[in-house]
Amino acid sequence: MAFISNPEFSEETCFCFSGRDIFLKKSGELLKFNDLIYFNKLDKNSDFFEEKAFGICAVSVSEGIEFSQEYVKIPMRQFFADNGEELIVKSSRSRAILNWRREMRFCPSCGKPLVESEKFSARECPVCHKIYFPRIEPCVIVLVRNGEKILLARHAQRNQDIYACIAGFIESGETAEQAVKREVKEEIGIEIQNVVYKGSQSWPFPDQLMLAFTAEYKSGDIVLQKEEISDAGWFSKEECPETPLPGSVAYRLIHDEF
């Protein structure tokens, strides 16, 4: 599963990203290989790779570049909402790897420029011969129930006026279930119980693996961690505020699609 940095021809699924956006044809169709060549030449800072084993070929370009009216740029979250699991998985992997490639250019041990591995989807140091694979950051996300109501929160760092589940990174030494309880206690101030694993999703913003859970309210009152949460409350399905779009693990939790 080695990277091919300068493919000459590809029949794989093709993607081009700019920040948190993805390019499509103006008709709404996916890009073809020749479109990737166009974007690769358009931006001298672009990155271009192919992974035949996963059936993907992708380019990243700088934000704010001017491009032909033949293309449109939409948020990846909207792309997830409009497409099925196969395209979500392929686009998530493509963007996550491009994010990693942008940051992993030099060997953390000796500082030398890394080169593409000939055997793996990885980068290798030509001096100390250490191999570095794309990283994954494990996170938890949980929907807490209290009778017929669910706990939803507005995250302070988001620029969208939506309410979602409590989520956070797993810390060193923790189990995923311990992280669920800690995050809810830290951000909302309540105790929970009966933590149940429901599923997972790659979330390439930039490199998370979201582990989804449900849990039940146990005790305590809502006390917000203001630097993380701007508002939170218990909502019935009839009074549910605006939530994340379909295609996200948060949507599936909130709308009982697991």
Side-chain angles (χ1 to χ4, degrees):
M1 295 186 292
F3 292 132
I4 303 173
S5 296
N6 293 290
E8 295 180 359
F9 176 75
S10 175
E11 294 182 353
E12 283 76 28
T13 308
C14 297
F15 303 102
C16 181
F17 306 97
S18 176
R20 290 176 173 246
D21 298 328
I22 185 170
F23 286 94
L24 299 173
K25 290 280 198 178
K26 194 172 184 179
S27 62
E29 296 177 307
L30 292 176
L31 303 184
K32 300 295 186 183
F33 184 71
N34 286 339
D35 300 310
L36 298 195
I37 293 176
Y38 162 78
F39 280 103
N40 191 44
K41 292 180 178 178
L42 188 65
D43 181 8
K44 65 179 182 180
N45 295 315
S46 66
D47 187 20
F48 194 169
F49 83 93
E50 180 183 36
E51 256 190 326
K52 289 186 177 295
F54 283 90
I56 55 178
C57 189
V59 173
S60 64
V61 295
S62 304
E63 297 184 60
I65 65 165
E66 296 184 2
F67 54 91
S68 167
Q69 294 183 356
E70 182 182 351
Y71 306 99
V72 294
K73 186 171 64 171
I74 67 170
M76 278 199 73
R77 285 183 172 85
Q78 185 62 53
F79 183 79
F80 289 170
D82 294 340
N83 290 281
E85 184 175 359
E86 181 179 356
L87 282 180
I88 292 175
V89 170
K90 286 187 172 185
S91 60
S92 293
R93 179 172 178 82
S94 297
R95 187 183 187 277
I97 287 177
L98 284 165
N99 290 337
W100 171 80
R101 287 167 63 89
R102 183 181 64 248
E103 296 181 359
M104 185 57 67
R105 295 183 295 152
F106 299 93
C107 178
S109 294
C110 70
K112 298 297 182 183
L114 297 174
V115 297
E116 307 297 347
S117 170
E118 294 182 0
K119 295 181 180 180
F120 307 107
S121 293
R123 284 184 163 169
E124 184 174 356
C125 179
V127 178
C128 63
H129 305 294
K130 291 188 176 182
I131 297 177
Y132 300 95
F133 291 89
R135 68 170 182 262
I136 297 173
E137 301 284 354
C139 298
V140 294
I141 181 168
V142 58
L143 181 77
V144 181
R145 293 192 175 96
N146 184 4
E148 295 298 315
K149 293 192 174 184
I150 59 175
L151 177 67
L152 296 176
R154 188 180 188 279
H155 293 265
Q157 306 303 321
R158 271 192 167 163
N159 56 9
Q160 298 170 295
D161 189 18
I162 63 173
Y163 283 70
C165 306
I166 301 303
F169 290 96
I170 300 175
E171 294 187 356
S172 297
E174 281 187 322
T175 66
E177 291 80 4
Q178 288 169 340
V180 168
K181 291 182 178 182
R182 175 185 53 76
E183 285 290 341
V184 173
K185 181 64 175 177
E186 287 179 354
E187 295 189 356
I188 303 297
I190 65 172
E191 302 283 349
I192 59 173
Q193 61 188 352
N194 299 331
V195 177
V196 178
Y197 174 74
K198 304 300 289 186
S200 63
Q201 181 185 28
S202 173
W203 195 245
F205 302 107
D207 49 23
Q208 288 97 313
L209 174 63
M210 306 299 298
L211 306 176
F213 294 83
T214 58
E216 295 177 3
Y217 169 81
K218 182 180 180 181
S219 63
D221 297 322
I222 292 177
V223 179
L224 303 182
Q225 184 182 27
K226 289 294 188 178
E227 61 268 27
E228 295 289 340
I229 305 295
S230 61
D231 188 31
W234 299 103
F235 298 90
S236 66
K237 288 195 173 182
E238 293 72 27
E239 61 183 6
C240 195
E242 186 175 355
T243 64
L245 293 172
S248 65
V249 69
Y251 181 93
R252 294 178 67 188
L253 283 172
I254 293 168
H255 298 281
D256 293 323
E257 290 195 356
F258 274 105

